[in-house]
Amino acid sequence: MTATNHPTLNFLLGISLLVSLSCKSQETPLIANGAELKVVSDTYSFTEGPAMAPNGDIYFTDQPNDRIVKWSAANNSVSVFMEPSGRSNGLYFDNEGNLLACADEKNQLWQIDTSNKEVTVLIDDYKGKKLNGPNDLWVDKKGGIYFTDPYYQRDYWKRTEMELEKQQVYYLSPDKKNISVVADDLVQPNGIIGSADGKTLYVADIGDKKTYSYKMNTDGSLSDKTLFTNLGSDGMTLDNKGNVYLTGKGVIVFNKKGEKILHIPIDQNWTANVTFGGKDQKTLFITAMNTVYTLDMNVSGVR
């Protein structure tokens, strides 16, 4: 499938982007001069979980159709990478270049070798009970994995309620032997992303419409929970300036202080996730309902 461009949509959204810029962001614009939203493809059911591979390609999920799709940074085209995919949702690449997937079908966390598509199940329960449904994840410098575990009832599950008492945030140790709860006081944790220096973790509590920042400790635990903004998020990312990108009604960007500096409107009912990709990591890749978009930026990602 080859990427397509919608001139009318780009024109209208381009105007909206300019209107949405704050004074601060106009002085140092995040969006590249003259850039417009481009539709990569609109042939999916619900897109989620974009993750950048080491070469700048983006892998994302078409969750209802049980497949992982790859966007090629070299020629701006998309192709199916894996189908079926364990109903994968959130994705992220580990420090060795393996693709990690929140495999929702059996509430597991997968490690996928992209060269041969061999799957290793890293987690399939917590203390003998099914996880709610791993949703989103982030990998620290040591290789430890933080992931959120909200409960969203799926029509392909036999169960109809949680086995665990809470919807929590977990940490899987770098050696993949120990899993621990690092946040247990959120309503419904969803989006998660860590800073490039490995000091701050952002977690969106979509159930309480809030996003928090935490200090990441050397043992993987979290402390110093601080309200970042009164807005939840589905997926999220960071740029090299430390700005935080939240999703929902388009993409909403906040600076390090939690001040809103930009809104990127998307002509969809819901924007699920966002990340940076491309060879220079200056392409913002956005998943929204049945469509994926790209937008050229002045800032870059932090991987």
Side-chain angles (χ1 to χ4, degrees):
M1 292 174 284
T2 304
T4 58
N5 198 340
H6 291 201
T8 302
L9 175 62
N10 289 343
F11 176 74
L12 294 174
L13 291 177
I15 294 175
S16 298
L17 289 175
L18 292 174
V19 173
S20 299
L21 289 172
S22 69
C23 293
K24 291 183 180 180
S25 60
Q26 284 184 40
E27 294 171 2
T28 55
L30 301 181
I31 300 171
N33 185 37
E36 299 176 337
L37 277 173
K38 296 178 181 178
V39 175
V40 175
S41 182
D42 57 4
T43 60
Y44 309 109
S45 292
F46 189 85
T47 56
E48 248 285 14
M52 190 191 75
N55 67 349
D57 290 348
I58 297 291
Y59 290 67
F60 64 95
T61 57
D62 182 11
Q63 210 267 353
N65 290 320
D66 196 13
R67 59 187 175 180
I68 297 173
V69 183
K70 183 178 78 171
W71 171 76
S72 171
N75 57 23
N76 192 30
S77 65
V78 287
S79 59
V80 174
F81 166 71
M82 178 182 284
E83 184 178 16
S85 65
R87 297 281 185 172
S88 289
N89 195 346
L91 305 173
Y92 205 85
F93 277 86
D94 67 17
N95 300 338
E96 286 72 47
N98 299 302
L99 180 62
L100 303 178
C102 293
D104 194 65
E105 184 174 23
K106 295 182 179 178
N107 317 105
Q108 298 171 330
L109 190 64
W110 284 8
Q111 176 183 284
I112 305 170
D113 185 330
T114 56
S115 64
N116 58 20
K117 302 180 185 178
E118 181 179 343
V119 173
T120 301
V121 177
L122 300 179
I123 303 172
D124 59 7
D125 68 83
Y126 177 67
K127 294 185 176 180
K129 295 183 178 181
K130 285 184 182 295
L131 292 165
N132 296 321
N135 186 276
D136 206 354
L137 71 166
W138 180 77
V139 180
D140 66 19
K141 292 182 177 180
K142 296 177 292 184
I145 304 169
Y146 291 93
F147 69 94
T148 58
D149 187 44
Y151 187 85
Y152 296 105
Q153 184 64 49
R154 305 301 192 187
D155 58 11
Y156 44 83
W157 288 348
K158 292 183 179 179
R159 63 171 173 155
T160 56
E161 60 184 19
M162 298 190 301
E163 291 187 12
L164 295 166
E165 294 182 0
K166 295 182 178 180
Q167 303 178 60
Q168 304 176 127
V169 181
Y170 295 87
Y171 181 72
L172 180 62
S173 61
D175 61 8
K176 309 300 184 288
K177 294 181 179 180
N178 298 300
I179 178 175
S180 57
V181 175
V182 291
D184 65 355
D185 59 350
L186 303 174
V187 177
Q188 194 171 44
N190 197 309
I192 189 169
I193 195 72
S195 61
D197 60 11
K199 295 180 179 180
T200 305
L201 186 74
Y202 296 91
V203 180
D205 188 352
I206 197 169
D208 198 30
K209 298 180 180 179
K210 292 179 174 61
T211 296
Y212 296 94
S213 65
Y214 296 84
K215 176 185 176 182
M216 288 186 282
N217 302 313
T218 55
D219 62 355
S221 63
L222 302 177
S223 59
D224 298 345
K225 177 185 178 182
T226 304
L227 179 65
F228 179 70
T229 184
N230 283 297
L231 182 68
S233 184
D234 198 338
M236 54 201 302
T237 195
L238 287 163
D239 67 23
N240 63 328
K241 301 295 184 181
N243 299 311
V244 182
Y245 294 62
L246 305 185
T247 59
K249 295 297 183 182
V251 179
I252 308 94
V253 187
F254 296 82
N255 62 19
K256 294 179 181 179
K257 298 179 182 179
E259 300 168 335
K260 179 180 174 181
I261 58 173
L262 176 67
H263 176 229
I264 303 172
I266 305 295
D267 189 25
Q268 298 283 352
N269 292 332
W270 187 252
T271 300
N273 217 323
V274 62
T275 196
F276 283 87
K279 293 183 178 180
D280 58 2
Q281 294 191 55
K282 285 191 173 183
T283 300
L284 193 65
F285 193 93
I286 303 165
T287 61
M289 303 300 290
N290 67 330
T291 306
V292 290
Y293 301 87
T294 58
L295 181 64
D296 294 334
M297 305 291 287
N298 284 323
V299 289
S300 62
V302 294
R303 281 302 299 263

